[in-house]
Amino acid sequence: MRLEFDIASGDFSQAGQASSQIKRVLKQLQVNPKVIKRIVVAVYEAEVNVVAHSHGGQIVAEISDNHIEITVKDTGPGIKDIEQAMQAGFSTASKKVRDMGFGAGMGLPNIKKNADDLHIESELGKGTCLKFKNDLNG
């Protein structure tokens, strides 16, 4: 099963829609609630990152019998230093984003914590592609 979601830059009112729809599908597939929670946290963090830091992007979820693979691609500034961005508390969020309660620098660390496997590629001035996978039988 393939689910696709377009994510608009700066539209925090829409952040969470992809993770909510993925959660609904996983519940229908009777995936363990603890597994669902990990996946939903990671997808939500990715959504917020796209909204806060990019010029927009897309989330694609590929669900098989045994696992889910999420691909998040955005256009935008890219990540200058992925290793630094993975550190809890590091943030490049604008004051406006932080004033809305986002941008605490926990997005990528939370994705890593809740994904079984995570890969990030980023090119400055072009964008970022994040892929993560979770076992559905865990």
Side-chain angles (χ1 to χ4, degrees), residues 29-107:
L29 295 173
Q30 299 181 334
V31 173
N32 180 322
K34 290 179 182 178
V35 172
I36 293 174
K37 182 177 181 179
R38 291 184 70 223
I39 294 165
V40 170
V41 166
V43 174
Y44 179 77
E45 293 285 9
E47 279 182 271
V48 170
N49 280 351
V50 172
V51 171
H53 299 289
S54 79
H55 303 303
Q58 185 178 53
I59 294 177
V60 176
E62 297 272 359
I63 303 170
S64 72
D65 290 341
N66 300 319
H67 68 271
I68 183 169
E69 185 170 328
I70 307 289
T71 302
V72 184
K73 288 185 181 180
D74 70 42
T75 57
I79 301 171
K80 184 176 180 180
D81 183 338
I82 293 173
E83 189 175 318
Q84 185 178 35
M86 293 299 295
Q87 294 179 19
F90 176 79
S91 179
T92 59
S94 69
K95 180 176 178 353
K96 178 182 174 186
V97 169
R98 287 192 308 273
D99 287 348
M100 287 188 284
F102 298 99
M106 294 306 297

Side-chain angles (χ1 to χ4, degrees), residues 101-128:
F102 298 99
M106 294 306 297
L108 290 176
N110 279 339
I111 294 168
K112 182 178 180 182
K113 182 174 125 183
N114 285 287
D116 293 339
D117 188 36
L118 171 65
H119 298 282
I120 302 172
E121 294 179 10
S122 190
E123 187 174 343
L124 288 178
K126 297 225 174 179
T128 301

